[in-house]
Amino acid sequence: MNNSSIRHAHVTPSHVTPSAVHSLATTAHPLVAGAHPAARAVAFHADPRSFAAHRRLAGDPAFRPFWNRGWHPHHHLGWIGPLFWPYAYSDFFYYALWPDDYYDVDPFWAYGYGDVYSAIFSPYSYDDYVQGPSAPARMATLTQSMAQSCSDEAAEVTGWPIDQIQAAVQPTQQQGALLDDLGNALVKASDEVKSHCPTTVSFTPTARLGAMQQRLQALADAVNIVSPPLDKFYNSLSDEQKARFNGIAPPAPKHAQAQQSQNAQNPQAQCNASVMAWPTDQVDRVVRPNDAQRAKLVALQSAASQASDTIKAACPSELPATPPERLAAVGKRLNALLQAVQAVRPALSDFYDSLSDDQKARFNGMGKQLFAQNEE
Protein backbone atom coordinates (compact mmCIF):
# COMPACT_ATOMS: atom_id res chain seq x y z
CA MET A 1 0.00 0.00 0.00
CA ASN A 2 1.20 3.54 -0.80
CA ASN A 3 1.20 5.52 2.44
CA SER A 4 1.19 8.76 0.48
CA SER A 5 -2.42 8.04 -0.36
CA ILE A 6 -3.46 8.45 3.28
CA ARG A 7 -4.28 11.79 4.89
CA HIS A 8 -4.43 12.03 8.67
CA ALA A 9 -7.58 13.42 10.33
CA HIS A 10 -7.43 14.48 13.99
CA VAL A 11 -10.92 13.33 15.03
CA THR A 12 -12.12 13.93 18.56
CA PRO A 13 -15.41 12.84 20.18
CA SER A 14 -16.84 16.35 20.34
CA HIS A 15 -20.40 15.05 20.30
CA VAL A 16 -19.88 12.82 23.34
CA THR A 17 -19.77 14.25 26.86
CA PRO A 18 -17.90 12.59 29.75
CA SER A 19 -21.19 11.53 31.30
CA ALA A 20 -22.25 10.03 27.98
CA VAL A 21 -19.00 8.10 27.81
CA HIS A 22 -19.82 6.57 31.18
CA SER A 23 -23.31 5.59 30.08
CA LEU A 24 -22.06 4.20 26.78
CA ALA A 25 -19.68 1.83 28.51
CA THR A 26 -22.39 -0.11 30.34
CA THR A 27 -22.31 -3.88 30.40
CA ALA A 28 -24.45 -6.26 28.38
CA HIS A 29 -27.75 -7.56 29.63
CA PRO A 30 -27.83 -10.86 31.46
CA LEU A 31 -29.08 -13.89 29.58
CA VAL A 32 -32.82 -14.20 29.44
CA ALA A 33 -34.03 -16.87 31.80
CA GLY A 34 -36.13 -19.47 30.07
CA ALA A 35 -35.44 -18.13 26.60
CA HIS A 36 -36.59 -19.98 23.51
CA PRO A 37 -34.36 -23.08 23.09
CA ALA A 38 -33.06 -21.97 19.71
CA ALA A 39 -31.80 -18.66 21.07
CA ARG A 40 -31.15 -19.37 24.77
CA ALA A 41 -27.37 -19.39 24.52
CA VAL A 42 -27.01 -15.78 23.37
CA ALA A 43 -30.37 -14.10 23.96
CA PHE A 44 -30.41 -10.52 25.28
CA HIS A 45 -33.20 -8.21 26.39
CA ALA A 46 -34.09 -5.88 23.55
CA ASP A 47 -33.97 -2.75 25.68
CA PRO A 48 -34.18 0.40 23.52
CA ARG A 49 -32.45 2.55 26.15
CA SER A 50 -29.42 0.27 26.20
CA PHE A 51 -29.56 -0.26 22.45
CA ALA A 52 -29.63 3.50 21.95
CA ALA A 53 -26.26 3.75 23.64
CA HIS A 54 -24.71 1.11 21.37
CA ARG A 55 -22.95 0.24 24.58
CA ARG A 56 -19.98 -1.86 23.53
CA LEU A 57 -19.19 -0.21 20.22
CA ALA A 58 -19.37 3.31 21.59
CA GLY A 59 -17.45 2.39 24.72
CA ASP A 60 -14.67 0.64 22.83
CA PRO A 61 -11.49 2.79 22.89
CA ALA A 62 -10.50 1.46 19.46
CA PHE A 63 -13.46 3.28 17.88
CA ARG A 64 -13.09 6.47 19.90
CA PRO A 65 -11.01 8.32 17.25
CA PHE A 66 -13.90 7.88 14.82
CA TRP A 67 -16.70 9.29 16.94
CA ASN A 68 -16.83 12.85 15.67
CA ARG A 69 -17.60 12.35 11.99
CA GLY A 70 -19.04 8.87 12.35
CA TRP A 71 -22.08 9.95 14.37
CA HIS A 72 -24.65 11.26 11.94
CA PRO A 73 -27.90 13.20 12.40
CA HIS A 74 -30.89 11.27 13.77
CA HIS A 75 -28.51 9.03 15.78
CA HIS A 76 -27.56 7.36 12.51
CA LEU A 77 -24.20 5.62 12.93
CA GLY A 78 -23.37 4.97 9.27
CA TRP A 79 -19.64 4.37 8.86
CA ILE A 80 -17.66 4.19 12.11
CA GLY A 81 -14.10 4.25 10.82
CA PRO A 82 -13.68 1.03 8.84
CA LEU A 83 -17.00 -0.48 9.93
CA PHE A 84 -20.26 0.09 8.06
CA TRP A 85 -23.59 -0.01 9.92
CA PRO A 86 -22.35 -1.71 13.09
CA TYR A 87 -25.78 -2.69 14.43
CA ALA A 88 -27.73 -3.21 11.22
CA TYR A 89 -29.35 -6.52 12.12
CA SER A 90 -30.71 -5.29 15.42
CA ASP A 91 -31.74 -2.00 13.77
CA PHE A 92 -34.17 -3.60 11.40
CA PHE A 93 -35.19 -6.63 13.45
CA TYR A 94 -36.18 -4.48 16.43
CA TYR A 95 -37.73 -1.88 14.14
CA ALA A 96 -39.98 -4.54 12.63
CA LEU A 97 -41.37 -5.22 16.12
CA TRP A 98 -41.30 -1.82 17.80
CA PRO A 99 -41.05 1.08 15.32
CA ASP A 100 -42.32 3.62 17.87
CA ASP A 101 -39.48 2.77 20.25
CA TYR A 102 -36.62 2.29 17.84
CA TYR A 103 -37.31 4.78 15.07
CA ASP A 104 -35.00 7.40 16.64
CA VAL A 105 -32.37 5.10 18.19
CA ASP A 106 -30.41 4.29 15.05
CA PRO A 107 -33.18 4.63 12.46
CA PHE A 108 -33.17 2.10 9.66
CA TRP A 109 -34.53 4.56 7.09
CA ALA A 110 -31.68 7.02 7.64
CA TYR A 111 -29.33 4.56 5.92
CA GLY A 112 -29.15 5.29 2.22
CA TYR A 113 -27.26 7.22 -0.42
CA GLY A 114 -25.44 9.23 2.21
CA ASP A 115 -23.61 6.06 3.25
CA VAL A 116 -22.60 5.34 -0.34
CA TYR A 117 -21.26 8.90 -0.47
CA SER A 118 -19.35 8.34 2.79
CA ALA A 119 -17.79 5.19 1.37
CA ILE A 120 -16.47 7.15 -1.61
CA PHE A 121 -15.48 10.30 0.30
CA SER A 122 -14.58 8.97 3.73
CA PRO A 123 -13.98 11.58 6.46
CA TYR A 124 -11.52 9.22 8.15
CA SER A 125 -7.80 8.65 7.78
CA TYR A 126 -5.67 5.79 9.03
CA ASP A 127 -2.13 7.16 9.26
CA ASP A 128 -1.89 6.11 12.91
CA TYR A 129 -2.69 2.54 11.89
CA VAL A 130 -0.11 2.16 9.13
CA GLN A 131 2.69 4.56 10.07
CA GLY A 132 5.01 4.60 13.09
CA PRO A 133 6.16 1.96 15.59
CA SER A 134 2.76 1.76 17.33
CA ALA A 135 0.81 1.23 14.10
CA PRO A 136 0.74 -2.62 14.18
CA ALA A 137 -0.64 -2.68 17.72
CA ARG A 138 -3.28 -0.06 16.89
CA MET A 139 -4.33 -1.99 13.78
CA ALA A 140 -4.56 -5.25 15.73
CA THR A 141 -6.76 -3.60 18.36
CA LEU A 142 -8.99 -2.02 15.72
CA THR A 143 -9.55 -5.24 13.78
CA GLN A 144 -10.18 -7.14 17.02
CA SER A 145 -12.80 -4.54 17.98
CA MET A 146 -14.44 -4.93 14.58
CA ALA A 147 -14.81 -8.65 15.18
CA GLN A 148 -16.14 -8.05 18.70
CA SER A 149 -18.77 -5.64 17.37
CA CYS A 150 -20.01 -8.42 15.08
CA SER A 151 -20.28 -10.81 18.01
CA ASP A 152 -22.17 -8.20 20.03
CA GLU A 153 -24.54 -7.61 17.14
CA ALA A 154 -25.08 -11.35 16.68
CA ALA A 155 -26.26 -11.50 20.29
CA GLU A 156 -28.67 -8.61 19.70
CA VAL A 157 -30.25 -10.38 16.72
CA THR A 158 -31.48 -13.18 18.92
CA GLY A 159 -33.03 -10.62 21.26
CA TRP A 160 -36.39 -11.06 19.58
CA PRO A 161 -38.78 -11.92 22.44
CA ILE A 162 -39.82 -15.41 21.36
CA ASP A 163 -40.99 -16.30 24.86
CA GLN A 164 -42.90 -13.03 25.11
CA ILE A 165 -44.60 -13.71 21.78
CA GLN A 166 -45.49 -17.19 22.95
CA ALA A 167 -46.97 -15.89 26.19
CA ALA A 168 -48.98 -13.22 24.37
CA VAL A 169 -50.53 -15.26 21.54
CA GLN A 170 -50.82 -18.63 23.35
CA PRO A 171 -50.09 -20.60 20.16
CA THR A 172 -51.61 -23.93 19.30
CA GLN A 173 -49.30 -26.88 18.83
CA GLN A 174 -49.09 -26.19 15.09
CA GLN A 175 -48.46 -22.49 15.66
CA GLY A 176 -45.84 -23.35 18.28
CA ALA A 177 -43.93 -25.36 15.70
CA LEU A 178 -43.98 -22.34 13.38
CA LEU A 179 -42.73 -20.17 16.23
CA ASP A 180 -39.88 -22.64 16.73
CA ASP A 181 -39.01 -22.20 13.06
CA LEU A 182 -38.90 -18.44 13.55
CA GLY A 183 -36.58 -18.77 16.54
CA ASN A 184 -34.25 -21.04 14.59
CA ALA A 185 -34.25 -18.58 11.68
CA LEU A 186 -33.19 -15.78 14.00
CA VAL A 187 -30.25 -17.86 15.18
CA LYS A 188 -29.29 -18.54 11.57
CA ALA A 189 -29.47 -14.82 10.84
CA SER A 190 -27.26 -14.23 13.86
CA ASP A 191 -24.68 -16.59 12.39
CA GLU A 192 -24.69 -14.47 9.23
CA VAL A 193 -23.39 -11.55 11.29
CA LYS A 194 -20.24 -13.38 12.26
CA SER A 195 -19.63 -15.10 8.94
CA HIS A 196 -19.68 -11.80 7.03
CA CYS A 197 -17.79 -9.71 9.54
CA PRO A 198 -14.99 -7.62 7.98
CA THR A 199 -11.55 -8.76 9.05
CA THR A 200 -9.45 -6.06 7.43
CA VAL A 201 -9.58 -2.27 7.26
CA SER A 202 -10.48 -0.78 3.88
CA PHE A 203 -8.27 2.20 3.07
CA THR A 204 -9.54 3.10 -0.40
CA PRO A 205 -12.99 4.07 -1.71
CA THR A 206 -13.09 1.04 -4.01
CA ALA A 207 -12.32 -1.31 -1.11
CA ARG A 208 -14.93 0.40 1.11
CA LEU A 209 -17.64 -0.06 -1.51
CA GLY A 210 -16.62 -3.71 -1.78
CA ALA A 211 -16.98 -4.14 1.98
CA MET A 212 -20.29 -2.28 1.88
CA GLN A 213 -21.62 -4.60 -0.84
CA GLN A 214 -20.64 -7.66 1.15
CA ARG A 215 -22.33 -6.26 4.23
CA LEU A 216 -25.53 -5.36 2.41
CA GLN A 217 -25.70 -8.76 0.76
CA ALA A 218 -25.49 -10.39 4.18
CA LEU A 219 -28.25 -8.12 5.49
CA ALA A 220 -30.51 -8.93 2.55
CA ASP A 221 -29.82 -12.63 3.10
CA ALA A 222 -30.76 -12.26 6.78
CA VAL A 223 -34.13 -10.76 5.86
CA ASN A 224 -34.70 -13.59 3.40
CA ILE A 225 -33.95 -16.07 6.19
CA VAL A 226 -36.34 -14.55 8.73
CA SER A 227 -39.19 -13.24 6.56
CA PRO A 228 -40.69 -16.60 5.41
CA PRO A 229 -41.01 -18.16 8.89
CA LEU A 230 -42.28 -14.86 10.29
CA ASP A 231 -44.93 -14.66 7.57
CA LYS A 232 -45.99 -18.26 8.14
CA PHE A 233 -46.30 -17.85 11.88
CA TYR A 234 -48.10 -14.50 11.69
CA ASN A 235 -50.52 -15.70 9.01
CA SER A 236 -51.40 -18.74 11.13
CA LEU A 237 -52.71 -16.52 13.92
CA SER A 238 -56.30 -15.48 14.46
CA ASP A 239 -57.18 -11.80 14.35
CA GLU A 240 -57.19 -11.69 18.14
CA GLN A 241 -53.78 -13.36 18.32
CA LYS A 242 -52.39 -10.94 15.73
CA ALA A 243 -53.61 -8.02 17.80
CA ARG A 244 -51.86 -9.41 20.88
CA PHE A 245 -48.70 -10.00 18.85
CA ASN A 246 -48.80 -6.43 17.53
CA GLY A 247 -49.29 -5.10 21.03
CA ILE A 248 -46.18 -6.68 22.54
CA ALA A 249 -44.08 -3.98 24.22
CA PRO A 250 -40.30 -3.91 24.58
CA PRO A 251 -38.83 -4.65 28.03
CA ALA A 252 -38.08 -0.98 28.73
CA PRO A 253 -40.89 1.54 29.30
CA LYS A 254 -41.69 3.58 26.22
CA HIS A 255 -40.39 7.12 26.33
CA ALA A 256 -42.04 10.10 24.63
CA GLN A 257 -44.47 7.67 23.06
CA ALA A 258 -46.83 10.21 21.50
CA GLN A 259 -44.08 12.10 19.73
CA GLN A 260 -42.37 8.92 18.59
CA SER A 261 -45.53 7.44 17.18
CA GLN A 262 -46.16 10.52 15.06
CA ASN A 263 -42.63 10.65 13.68
CA ALA A 264 -42.35 6.89 13.19
CA GLN A 265 -45.28 6.98 10.78
CA ASN A 266 -43.24 8.98 8.27
CA PRO A 267 -40.15 7.05 7.12
CA GLN A 268 -39.52 9.62 4.39
CA ALA A 269 -38.61 12.16 7.06
CA GLN A 270 -35.54 10.02 7.73
CA CYS A 271 -34.72 8.68 4.27
CA ASN A 272 -31.60 10.46 3.10
CA ALA A 273 -32.28 13.34 5.47
CA SER A 274 -28.75 14.71 5.19
CA VAL A 275 -27.60 13.75 1.68
CA MET A 276 -24.70 15.82 0.40
CA ALA A 277 -24.53 17.00 -3.22
CA TRP A 278 -21.95 15.44 -5.51
CA PRO A 279 -18.77 17.57 -5.19
CA THR A 280 -18.11 18.19 -8.88
CA ASP A 281 -16.16 21.43 -8.46
CA GLN A 282 -14.14 20.13 -5.52
CA VAL A 283 -13.06 16.98 -7.37
CA ASP A 284 -11.99 19.03 -10.38
CA ARG A 285 -10.02 21.42 -8.19
CA VAL A 286 -8.38 18.81 -5.95
CA VAL A 287 -7.77 15.88 -8.31
CA ARG A 288 -7.27 17.89 -11.52
CA PRO A 289 -8.32 15.06 -13.85
CA ASN A 290 -7.25 14.99 -17.47
CA ASP A 291 -9.82 14.69 -20.26
CA ALA A 292 -9.92 10.89 -20.19
CA GLN A 293 -10.22 10.82 -16.41
CA ARG A 294 -12.90 13.51 -16.48
CA ALA A 295 -15.02 11.36 -18.79
CA LYS A 296 -14.76 8.53 -16.28
CA LEU A 297 -15.62 10.96 -13.48
CA VAL A 298 -18.76 12.04 -15.34
CA ALA A 299 -19.75 8.38 -15.64
CA LEU A 300 -19.19 7.93 -11.90
CA GLN A 301 -21.31 10.96 -11.08
CA SER A 302 -24.09 9.61 -13.33
CA ALA A 303 -23.95 6.21 -11.61
CA ALA A 304 -24.10 7.90 -8.20
CA SER A 305 -27.14 9.94 -9.26
CA GLN A 306 -28.93 6.81 -10.47
CA ALA A 307 -28.02 5.06 -7.21
CA SER A 308 -29.58 7.90 -5.24
CA ASP A 309 -32.80 7.59 -7.26
CA THR A 310 -32.89 3.82 -6.77
CA ILE A 311 -32.55 4.12 -3.01
CA LYS A 312 -35.05 6.98 -2.78
CA ALA A 313 -37.68 4.95 -4.65
CA ALA A 314 -37.46 2.22 -2.01
CA CYS A 315 -38.52 4.51 0.84
CA PRO A 316 -42.15 3.90 1.86
CA SER A 317 -44.50 6.84 2.23
CA GLU A 318 -45.92 5.52 5.48
CA LEU A 319 -45.12 2.99 8.16
CA PRO A 320 -46.25 -0.57 7.32
CA ALA A 321 -48.84 -1.82 9.78
CA THR A 322 -47.52 -5.25 10.83
CA PRO A 323 -44.15 -6.80 11.67
CA PRO A 324 -44.08 -8.97 8.51
CA GLU A 325 -44.93 -5.95 6.34
CA ARG A 326 -42.26 -3.84 8.04
CA LEU A 327 -39.63 -6.52 7.53
CA ALA A 328 -40.66 -6.80 3.86
CA ALA A 329 -40.22 -3.03 3.48
CA VAL A 330 -36.80 -3.36 5.10
CA GLY A 331 -35.88 -6.05 2.58
CA LYS A 332 -36.92 -3.83 -0.31
CA ARG A 333 -34.79 -0.96 0.98
CA LEU A 334 -31.77 -3.24 1.54
CA ASN A 335 -32.03 -4.61 -1.99
CA ALA A 336 -32.18 -1.06 -3.34
CA LEU A 337 -29.04 -0.16 -1.39
CA LEU A 338 -27.33 -3.28 -2.69
CA GLN A 339 -28.30 -2.49 -6.29
CA ALA A 340 -27.04 1.05 -5.85
CA VAL A 341 -23.63 -0.08 -4.61
CA GLN A 342 -23.38 -2.65 -7.38
CA ALA A 343 -24.07 0.09 -9.93
CA VAL A 344 -21.55 2.55 -8.50
CA ARG A 345 -18.65 0.14 -7.91
CA PRO A 346 -17.61 -0.41 -11.58
CA ALA A 347 -17.74 3.30 -12.37
CA LEU A 348 -15.76 4.16 -9.24
CA SER A 349 -13.13 1.53 -9.98
CA ASP A 350 -12.82 2.72 -13.57
CA PHE A 351 -12.20 6.30 -12.45
CA TYR A 352 -10.06 5.55 -9.38
CA ASP A 353 -7.81 3.08 -11.18
CA SER A 354 -7.08 5.69 -13.84
CA LEU A 355 -5.59 8.08 -11.28
CA SER A 356 -1.93 8.45 -10.45
CA ASP A 357 -0.75 7.74 -6.90
CA ASP A 358 -0.66 11.45 -6.18
CA GLN A 359 -4.17 11.96 -7.55
CA LYS A 360 -5.42 9.02 -5.49
CA ALA A 361 -3.88 10.56 -2.39
CA ARG A 362 -5.65 13.86 -3.02
CA PHE A 363 -8.95 12.11 -3.80
CA ASN A 364 -8.66 10.00 -0.63
CA GLY A 365 -8.16 13.13 1.46
CA MET A 366 -11.23 14.97 0.18
CA GLY A 367 -13.72 13.46 2.60
CA LYS A 368 -12.44 15.21 5.70
CA GLN A 369 -12.78 18.62 4.04
CA LEU A 370 -16.15 17.88 2.45
CA PHE A 371 -17.74 16.78 5.72
CA ALA A 372 -16.17 19.66 7.61
CA GLN A 373 -17.67 22.11 5.11
CA ASN A 374 -21.05 20.44 5.44
CA GLU A 375 -21.00 21.02 9.21
CA GLU A 376 -20.31 24.75 8.92
Short mmCIF file of all heavy atoms in Angstrom, two decimals, residues 29 67 70 80 115 141 148 173-174 176 216 248 269 288 295 330 334 342 344-346 359 373 375:
data_model
loop_
_atom_site.label_atom_id
_atom_site.label_comp_id
_atom_site.label_asym_id
_atom_site.label_seq_id
_atom_site.Cartn_x
_atom_site.Cartn_y
_atom_site.Cartn_z
N HIS A 29 -26.67 -7.02 28.82
CA HIS A 29 -27.75 -7.56 29.63
C HIS A 29 -27.45 -9.01 30.00
O HIS A 29 -26.81 -9.73 29.25
CB HIS A 29 -29.06 -7.51 28.86
CG HIS A 29 -29.58 -6.13 28.67
ND1 HIS A 29 -30.12 -5.38 29.67
CD2 HIS A 29 -29.61 -5.34 27.58
CE1 HIS A 29 -30.49 -4.20 29.21
NE2 HIS A 29 -30.19 -4.15 27.95
N TRP A 67 -15.40 8.85 16.47
CA TRP A 67 -16.70 9.29 16.94
C TRP A 67 -17.20 10.54 16.23
O TRP A 67 -18.35 10.62 15.85
CB TRP A 67 -16.65 9.57 18.44
CG TRP A 67 -16.77 8.34 19.27
CD1 TRP A 67 -16.93 7.06 18.81
CD2 TRP A 67 -16.73 8.25 20.68
NE1 TRP A 67 -16.98 6.19 19.85
CE2 TRP A 67 -16.88 6.89 21.02
CE3 TRP A 67 -16.60 9.18 21.70
CZ2 TRP A 67 -16.90 6.44 22.33
CZ3 TRP A 67 -16.62 8.74 23.01
CH2 TRP A 67 -16.76 7.39 23.32
N GLY A 70 -18.31 10.09 12.59
CA GLY A 70 -19.04 8.87 12.35
C GLY A 70 -20.46 8.92 12.88
O GLY A 70 -21.30 8.13 12.47
N ILE A 80 -18.46 3.88 10.94
CA ILE A 80 -17.66 4.19 12.11
C ILE A 80 -16.25 3.72 11.78
O ILE A 80 -15.91 2.55 11.93
CB ILE A 80 -18.18 3.51 13.38
CG1 ILE A 80 -19.58 4.00 13.70
CG2 ILE A 80 -17.24 3.78 14.55
CD1 ILE A 80 -19.66 5.47 14.06
N ASP A 115 -24.63 7.03 2.86
CA ASP A 115 -23.61 6.06 3.25
C ASP A 115 -22.76 5.63 2.06
O ASP A 115 -21.58 5.32 2.22
CB ASP A 115 -24.28 4.85 3.91
CG ASP A 115 -25.05 5.25 5.15
OD1 ASP A 115 -24.41 5.73 6.11
OD2 ASP A 115 -26.28 5.11 5.16
N THR A 141 -5.67 -3.93 17.45
CA THR A 141 -6.76 -3.60 18.36
C THR A 141 -8.02 -3.21 17.60
O THR A 141 -9.13 -3.60 17.97
CB THR A 141 -6.34 -2.43 19.28
OG1 THR A 141 -5.20 -2.81 20.04
CG2 THR A 141 -7.47 -2.05 20.24
N GLN A 148 -15.33 -8.03 17.49
CA GLN A 148 -16.14 -8.05 18.70
C GLN A 148 -17.49 -7.39 18.46
O GLN A 148 -18.52 -7.84 18.98
CB GLN A 148 -15.41 -7.34 19.83
CG GLN A 148 -16.16 -7.36 21.16
CD GLN A 148 -16.38 -8.77 21.68
OE1 GLN A 148 -15.44 -9.55 21.76
NE2 GLN A 148 -17.62 -9.10 22.02
N GLN A 173 -50.47 -26.04 19.06
CA GLN A 173 -49.30 -26.88 18.83
C GLN A 173 -48.70 -26.60 17.44
O GLN A 173 -47.48 -26.50 17.29
CB GLN A 173 -49.68 -28.35 18.96
CG GLN A 173 -48.48 -29.30 18.80
CD GLN A 173 -48.87 -30.75 19.05
OE1 GLN A 173 -50.02 -31.06 19.37
NE2 GLN A 173 -47.91 -31.66 18.92
N GLN A 174 -49.57 -26.46 16.44
CA GLN A 174 -49.09 -26.19 15.09
C GLN A 174 -48.43 -24.81 15.01
O GLN A 174 -47.36 -24.65 14.40
CB GLN A 174 -50.25 -26.27 14.09
CG GLN A 174 -49.82 -26.03 12.65
CD GLN A 174 -50.99 -26.13 11.68
OE1 GLN A 174 -52.15 -26.30 12.09
NE2 GLN A 174 -50.70 -26.03 10.39
N GLY A 176 -47.08 -23.28 17.51
CA GLY A 176 -45.84 -23.35 18.28
C GLY A 176 -44.69 -23.88 17.45
O GLY A 176 -43.54 -23.43 17.60
N LEU A 216 -24.14 -5.48 2.82
CA LEU A 216 -25.53 -5.36 2.41
C LEU A 216 -26.09 -6.69 1.90
O LEU A 216 -27.26 -7.01 2.12
CB LEU A 216 -25.67 -4.29 1.32
CG LEU A 216 -25.48 -2.85 1.81
CD1 LEU A 216 -25.37 -1.89 0.62
CD2 LEU A 216 -26.64 -2.42 2.71
N ILE A 248 -47.30 -6.35 21.66
CA ILE A 248 -46.18 -6.68 22.54
C ILE A 248 -45.28 -5.46 22.70
O ILE A 248 -44.92 -4.80 21.72
CB ILE A 248 -45.38 -7.87 21.99
CG1 ILE A 248 -46.23 -9.14 22.06
CG2 ILE A 248 -44.09 -8.07 22.77
CD1 ILE A 248 -45.56 -10.34 21.40
N ALA A 269 -39.26 11.08 6.31
CA ALA A 269 -38.61 12.16 7.06
C ALA A 269 -37.17 11.79 7.41
O ALA A 269 -36.36 12.66 7.68
CB ALA A 269 -39.40 12.46 8.33
N ARG A 288 -7.72 17.37 -10.24
CA ARG A 288 -7.27 17.89 -11.52
C ARG A 288 -7.18 16.78 -12.58
O ARG A 288 -6.10 16.48 -13.12
CB ARG A 288 -5.92 18.60 -11.38
CG ARG A 288 -5.95 19.79 -10.44
CD ARG A 288 -4.67 20.61 -10.52
NE ARG A 288 -3.50 19.87 -10.03
CZ ARG A 288 -3.16 19.81 -8.76
NH1 ARG A 288 -3.88 20.42 -7.83
NH2 ARG A 288 -2.07 19.13 -8.40
N ALA A 295 -13.92 12.13 -18.20
CA ALA A 295 -15.02 11.36 -18.79
C ALA A 295 -15.43 10.22 -17.85
O ALA A 295 -16.63 9.94 -17.69
CB ALA A 295 -14.60 10.80 -20.15
N VAL A 330 -38.24 -3.39 4.81
CA VAL A 330 -36.80 -3.36 5.10
C VAL A 330 -36.03 -4.10 4.00
O VAL A 330 -35.00 -3.63 3.51
CB VAL A 330 -36.52 -3.98 6.48
CG1 VAL A 330 -35.06 -4.39 6.62
CG2 VAL A 330 -36.90 -3.00 7.58
N LEU A 334 -33.10 -2.64 1.56
CA LEU A 334 -31.77 -3.24 1.54
C LEU A 334 -31.38 -3.65 0.12
O LEU A 334 -30.24 -3.44 -0.31
CB LEU A 334 -31.72 -4.45 2.46
CG LEU A 334 -31.71 -4.17 3.96
CD1 LEU A 334 -31.85 -5.47 4.74
CD2 LEU A 334 -30.44 -3.45 4.38
N GLN A 342 -23.82 -1.85 -6.25
CA GLN A 342 -23.38 -2.65 -7.38
C GLN A 342 -23.28 -1.80 -8.66
O GLN A 342 -22.43 -2.07 -9.52
CB GLN A 342 -24.34 -3.81 -7.61
CG GLN A 342 -24.27 -4.88 -6.53
CD GLN A 342 -25.37 -5.92 -6.64
OE1 GLN A 342 -26.47 -5.63 -7.14
NE2 GLN A 342 -25.10 -7.14 -6.18
N VAL A 344 -22.59 1.54 -8.66
CA VAL A 344 -21.55 2.55 -8.50
C VAL A 344 -20.15 1.94 -8.54
O VAL A 344 -19.20 2.57 -9.04
CB VAL A 344 -21.75 3.32 -7.18
CG1 VAL A 344 -20.56 4.24 -6.88
CG2 VAL A 344 -23.03 4.15 -7.24
N ARG A 345 -19.99 0.74 -8.05
CA ARG A 345 -18.65 0.14 -7.91
C ARG A 345 -17.85 0.11 -9.22
O ARG A 345 -16.68 0.52 -9.23
CB ARG A 345 -18.74 -1.27 -7.34
CG ARG A 345 -18.82 -1.33 -5.83
CD ARG A 345 -18.68 -2.76 -5.36
NE ARG A 345 -17.31 -3.23 -5.47
CZ ARG A 345 -16.95 -4.51 -5.32
NH1 ARG A 345 -17.86 -5.44 -5.06
NH2 ARG A 345 -15.68 -4.86 -5.42
N PRO A 346 -18.42 -0.37 -10.34
CA PRO A 346 -17.61 -0.41 -11.58
C PRO A 346 -17.18 0.97 -12.04
O PRO A 346 -16.03 1.14 -12.48
CB PRO A 346 -18.56 -1.08 -12.59
CG PRO A 346 -19.58 -1.79 -11.78
CD PRO A 346 -19.75 -0.96 -10.55
N GLN A 359 -2.75 11.62 -7.40
CA GLN A 359 -4.17 11.96 -7.55
C GLN A 359 -5.03 11.13 -6.58
O GLN A 359 -5.98 11.64 -5.99
CB GLN A 359 -4.63 11.72 -8.99
CG GLN A 359 -4.14 12.74 -9.99
CD GLN A 359 -4.55 12.38 -11.41
OE1 GLN A 359 -4.38 11.24 -11.85
NE2 GLN A 359 -5.10 13.35 -12.12
N GLN A 373 -16.92 21.03 5.73
CA GLN A 373 -17.67 22.11 5.11
C GLN A 373 -19.16 21.95 5.31
O GLN A 373 -19.89 22.92 5.50
CB GLN A 373 -17.35 22.17 3.61
CG GLN A 373 -15.93 22.61 3.29
CD GLN A 373 -15.60 22.50 1.80
OE1 GLN A 373 -16.34 21.88 1.03
NE2 GLN A 373 -14.49 23.10 1.41
N GLU A 375 -20.63 20.74 7.82
CA GLU A 375 -21.00 21.02 9.21
C GLU A 375 -20.96 22.50 9.54
O GLU A 375 -21.40 22.91 10.61
CB GLU A 375 -20.07 20.26 10.16
CG GLU A 375 -20.23 18.75 10.08
CD GLU A 375 -19.20 18.02 10.91
OE1 GLU A 375 -18.33 18.72 11.49
OE2 GLU A 375 -19.25 16.78 10.99
#
